[in-house]
């Protein structure tokens, strides 16, 4: 297995229909799911030559941490359904690859357990804003107290998208999601539907401003697509944004994230970090995203396929191959450093 597609194919051969549909699937007709991947092919890299690329540095600095590459592990729920190594294995794999992991609220391990398993990995915590404020605050407090360095508040999911593969397979997660169970005051596994029933669909910008004020960690908003929302995020005090459509799992029919990124990056104009996720499968995809204004990207399914194939070691192999692809692509693009990738390194395909 030498690329992400190989791992995807292998994982699809290993997983049962229910978890496979949950991991691979998107909402509705899965147009956005497909577009996220396909749209990268509409951007082409424009290399510069005769640049000394004997030393290439793909690292980036984000929120005071130096990461070995501009690619982080996206928050993905229920990782123990892919492999018993679960989120602890994923966090260790991210650390071994020199990058950060964002832990989902719907993880099968608590923030504290993942911190204990991977104390040296840069960790961010993805938050769903539950209607019960005390529960939301307790989650933030646990993440803060266990050394997470940022809160990634997901804002594209006031309700779960309609994921038809799950309806067809009748998929129900049968593993524990301790943070959610605590929120429910229950000790039995919870269904996806129950989780999203806890999320507060009334949340608006003014409350976000209060959260940003009260939280000692940067709040990164994940799941916005419109430049006007990036402007509101900055006004509310957000420390960053992730241009994301939840990997095509929420509102079907929205643009590919790589196509939404340029306008958001232009609106933000360097005031806060801009990240993106969705459809990144190659090191060259990462370079396109950097050229269009991203400071870094997140990858969801690629690392998950690695985990499914060979647990922590498989996730590490996927992250390492992406690291090597990014490094080689930087050299061939004529950029000795990730920070040197500019808008002129990419052209729209004609
Ligand atoms: C199986 C699965 C579960 C996910 N769970 C979460 C989650 O709990 N919280 C969240 O903010 N995003 C979640 N996401 C979205 C990812 O964080 C990310 O936005 C998306 O996977 C990026 O697209 P990619 O898979 O093409 O890289 C999930 C994605 C998948 C595939």
């Amino acid at each position: 297995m030498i690329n992400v597609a190989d791992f995807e194919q292998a994982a699809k051969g290993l997983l049962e229909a229910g978890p496979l549909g949950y991991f691979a699937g998107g909402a509705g007709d899965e147009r956005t799911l497909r577009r996220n991947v396909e749209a990268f092919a509409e951007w082409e890299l424009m290399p510069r030559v005769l640049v000394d690329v004997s030393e290439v540095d793909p690292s980036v600095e984000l929120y005071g941490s130096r990461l070995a590459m501009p690619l982080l592990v996206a928050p993905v729920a229920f990782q123990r359904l892919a492999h018993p190594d679960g989120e602890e294995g994923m966090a260790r794999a991210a650390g071994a690859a020199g990058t950060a992991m964002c832990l989902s609220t719907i993880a099968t391990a608590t923030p504290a357990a993942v911190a204990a398993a991977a104390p040296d990995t840069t960790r961010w915590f993805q938050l769903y804003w539950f209607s019960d404020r005390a529960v939301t605050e307790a989650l933030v407090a646990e993440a803060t107290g266990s050394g997470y360095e940022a809160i990634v508040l997901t804002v594209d999911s006031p309700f779960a998208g309609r994921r038809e593969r799950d309806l067809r397979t009748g998929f129900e997660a049968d593993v524990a999601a301790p943070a959610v169970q605590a929120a429910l005051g229950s000790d039995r596994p919870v269904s996806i539907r129950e989780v999203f029933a806890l999320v507060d669909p009334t949340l608006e910008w003014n409350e976000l401003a209060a959260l940003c004020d009260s939280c000692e960690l940067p709040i990164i908003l994940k799941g916005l697509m419109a430049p006007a929302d990036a402007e509101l995020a900055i006004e509310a005090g957000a420390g960053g944004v992730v241009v994301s459509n939840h990997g095509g799992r929420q509102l079907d029919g929205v643009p590919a994230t790589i196509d939404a990124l340029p306008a958001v990056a232009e609106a933000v104009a360097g005031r806060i970090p801009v990240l993106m996720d969705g459809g990144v499968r190659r090191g060259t995809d990462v370079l396109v995203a950097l050229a269009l204004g991203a400071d870094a990207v997140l990858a969801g399914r690629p690392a998950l396929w690695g985990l499914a194939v060979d647990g922590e070691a498989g996730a590490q192999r996927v992250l390492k191959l992406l690291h090597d692809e990014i490094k080689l692509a930087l050299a061939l693009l004529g950029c000795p450093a990730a920070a040197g990738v500019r808008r002129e390194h990419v052209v729209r395909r004609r």
Side-chain angles (χ1 to χ4, degrees), residues 22-25 33 36-37 74-77 104-106 126 128 152 154 156-157 163 222 244-249 277-281 298-302 304:
Y22 172 70
F23 291 146
L33 176 73
N36 275 350
V37 174
V76 165
S104 167
T105 289
I106 321 175
Q126 178 268 323
Y128 281 120
V152 176
T154 300
D156 58 14
S157 307
R163 303 171 191 161
K222 171 174 181 282
S244 174
N245 52 37
H246 216 109
R249 299 164 72 80
D277 70 22
V280 173
R281 300 293 179 265
L298 296 91
R301 294 180 184 86
L304 187 71

Side-chain angles (χ1 to χ4, degrees), residues 58 60-63 65-76 90 93-95 97-103 121-125 149-150 152 220 222 242 273-278 280 286 290 294-304 318-319 322-323 326:
V60 288
E61 192 171 310
L62 275 177
Y63 305 103
S65 287
R66 170 99 4 219
L67 306 179
M69 60 175 159
L71 181 142
L72 298 75
V73 176
V76 165
M90 185 69 91
T99 193
M101 176 197 183
C102 184
L103 183 74
T121 301
T122 301
R123 283 166 281 102
W124 299 356
F125 182 70
E149 294 176 20
V152 176
I220 303 168
K222 171 174 181 282
V242 185
V274 174
L275 294 97
M276 69 81 68
D277 70 22
V280 173
V286 180
L290 297 184
D295 293 284
V297 308
L298 296 91
R301 294 180 184 86
L304 187 71
V318 166
L319 293 171
L322 284 169
H323 174 272
I326 293 167

